């Protein structure tokens, strides 16, 4: 279909979809890969920092250990404050051009994109994870300690599984935010969805039509991701029913009971 | 008689507040000791110090003659030998009933999964919860939770079991089922230290009753003496107030 300056809005939209769909698709792909990888790495960073920042330190702890802990804690706080307190678009510029200038490392724009989203997400997740750990009932820690578990065992098998379950909604939220916010990476030339849309729009001088389509693509991605994660969260809650096993006194093998909420 | 734990001059401060004042006390093997006293008398704190959930400010806790506050023995190893049953049950919410009873055996005692399950089932059977192994803590009642908590502690095969007001958070109709389990345990020769408000239980089951008041052990004797003919005026007042209710 040919279009010119007199073509209608609808004609333009159809034309752009027909001719540029591979571009949108590639852009969406890059956006998804960067935001997913960034969210996962950021989550890992967050868990690590959350664990470190909740290590119990009291007057019985060795003085050297306390000093090391204090220094590490201050460094982590600086990291969290800097990355939460500055826009990601600025971080992208500083990191991308900074590592090139200071260390002579020329990251590909793709690698730089993943790196920036990861450390940015990590700073947010660190506080979310810490909150998740703190919110776990003290009784869970005590019960684990009482059967002889060490602090790391308590965290690994009892506290973190519960904390992570509780912060999953925040993690999903962070993923959705990342899908949208990777658009700022176009300033360093990452070929994500916004960047691709800009070139499609520039080629035709049709900004409204193109970005309306872009809008829709973003919406489809965030909506789908939200649904999938919600489903996953529900699955993790475990089944609502459990089986009562029979014994000598209760010969019936299995009874289903609806669990209390 | 062989004593498992001996406490010497135990003191515990919370800030400026002296909660335990020079406690001297011991528990013998196979003994059932009930600790009674009003709220704030320090009885729970004493129990929690015994399991190092609270760090004593000063004094000694001798476990088979060895002072565990001197770090010759790791806290975790010692704690595994002292089972604890909490007022609020504190079952691990992320684990099923069975897993609650096996996780400690597997991770702390390094038993195989199969062995751990066998032991856990034995004790779950004992407390009458073997049918509920797949249930999650939020799906069962308070009395059932507490029975699972007892099975969890027993699965570690501890030398002594500490109970911190095990029935205080239960609905009245569920107190009986937990006390019944505790009574049968006492009959089996398990060393038990029970902080409780259940005076009938203390009277019927304990070999020794300890009355605490204001951070000190005010009186310590057989249940017959404590309940029928206490020597200390404060014991008399406390029991009168409790039994009148």
């Amino acid at each position: 279909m040919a279009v010119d300056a007199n073509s209608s809005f609808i004609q333009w939209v159809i034309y752009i979809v027909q001719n540029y769909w591979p571009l949108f698709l590639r852009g969406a792909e890059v956006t998804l890969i960067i935001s997913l990888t960034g969210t996962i790495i950021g989550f890992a960073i967050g868990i690590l920092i959350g664990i470190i920042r909740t290590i119990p330190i009291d007057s019985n702890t060795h003085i050297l250990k306390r000093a090391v802990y204090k220094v590490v804690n201050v460094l982590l706080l600086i990291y969290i404050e800097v990355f939460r307190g500055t826009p990601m678009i600025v971080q992208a510029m500083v990191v991308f051009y900074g590592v090139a200038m200071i260390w002579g490392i020329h990251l590909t724009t793709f690698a730089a994109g993943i790196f920036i989203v990861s450390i940015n997400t990590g700073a947010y997740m660190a506080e979310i994870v810490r909150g998740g750990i703190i919110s776990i009932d003290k009784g869970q820690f005590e019960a684990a300690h009482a059967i002889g578990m060490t602090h790391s065992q308590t965290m690994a098998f009892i506290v973190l599984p519960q904390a992570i379950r509780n912060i999953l909604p925040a993690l999903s939220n962070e993923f959705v935010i990342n899908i949208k916010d990777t658009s700022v990476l176009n300033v360093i030339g990452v070929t994500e969805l916004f960047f691709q849309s800009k070139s499609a729009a520039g080629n035709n001088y049709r900004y409204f039509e193109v970005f309306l389509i872009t809008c829709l693509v973003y919406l489809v991605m965030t909506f789908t991701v939200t649904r999938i994660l919600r489903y996953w969260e529900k699955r993790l809650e475990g089944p609502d029913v459990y089986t009562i096993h029979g014994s000598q006194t209760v010969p019936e093998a299995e009874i289903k009971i609806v669990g209390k909420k | 008689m062989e004593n498992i734990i001996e406490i010497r001059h135990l003191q515990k401060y919370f800030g400026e507040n002296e909660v335990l004042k020079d406690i001297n006390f011991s528990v013998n093997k196979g003994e059932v000791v009930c600790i009674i006293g009003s709220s704030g008398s320090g009885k729970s704190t004493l129990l929690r110090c015994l399991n190092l959930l609270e760090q004593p400010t000063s004094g000694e806790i001798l476990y088979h003659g060895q002072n565990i506050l001197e770090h010759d023995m790791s806290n975790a190893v010692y704690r595994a030998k002292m089972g604890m049953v909490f007022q609020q049950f504190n079952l691990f919410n992320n684990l099923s009933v069975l897993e609650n009873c096996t996780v400690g055996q597997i991770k702390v005692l390094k038993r195989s999964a199969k062995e751990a399950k066998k032991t856990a089932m034995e004790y779950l059977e004992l407390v009458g919860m073997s049918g509920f192994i797949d249930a999650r803590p939020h799906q069962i009642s308070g009395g059932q939770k507490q029975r699972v908590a007892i099975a969890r502690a027993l699965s570690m095969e501890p030398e002594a079991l500490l109970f911190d007001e095990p029935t205080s958070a239960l609905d009245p109709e569920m107190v009986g089922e937990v006390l019944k389990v505790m009574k049968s345990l006492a009959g089996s020769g398990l060393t038990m230290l029970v902080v409780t408000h259940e005076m009938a239980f203390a009277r019927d089951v304990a070999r020794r009753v300890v009355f605490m008041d204001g951070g000190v052990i005010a009186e310590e004797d057989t249940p017959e003496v404590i309940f029928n003919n206490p020597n200390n005026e404060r014991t008399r007042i406390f029991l009168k107030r409790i039994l009148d209710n």
Side-chain angles (χ1 to χ4, degrees), chain B residues 114-171:
Chain B
K114 203 175 145 212
E115 209 184 336
K117 183 175 177 185
K118 189 169 159 277
T119 313
M121 288 307 293
E122 212 174 282
Y123 290 110
L124 283 167
E125 188 83 47
L126 188 74
V127 301
M129 286 299 290
S130 59
F132 294 82
I133 51 174
D134 292 334
R136 302 255 148 193
H138 70 88
Q139 293 169 322
I140 57 180
S141 74
Q144 292 176 322
K145 280 185 203 174
Q146 195 60 299
R147 286 189 280 148
V148 172
I150 292 171
R152 172 176 69 181
L154 288 171
S155 296
M156 299 297 288
E157 295 176 330
E159 282 209 50
L161 205 45
L162 313 176
F163 293 82
D164 188 4
E165 302 193 22
T167 56
S168 299
L170 293 174
D171 291 338

Side-chain angles (χ1 to χ4, degrees), chain A residues 45-101:
Chain A
I45 295 173
I47 287 184
L48 200 68
I49 296 179
I51 290 172
I52 293 172
R53 300 219 326 128
T54 50
I55 292 175
I57 295 289
D58 55 33
S59 51
N60 295 317
T61 314
H62 193 277
I63 181 91
L64 201 70
K65 204 172 147 193
R66 262 191 291 174
V68 171
Y69 183 78
K70 196 113 199 173
V71 172
V72 171
N73 221 351
V74 167
L75 291 176
L76 290 177
L77 261 178
I78 292 172
Y79 160 69
I80 292 169
E81 290 304 327
V82 166
F83 281 91
R84 291 209 310 180
T86 54
M88 191 155 84
I89 193 167
V90 178
Q91 291 164 15
M93 298 298 267
V94 170
V95 170
F96 186 62
Y97 296 106
V99 294
M101 212 179 91

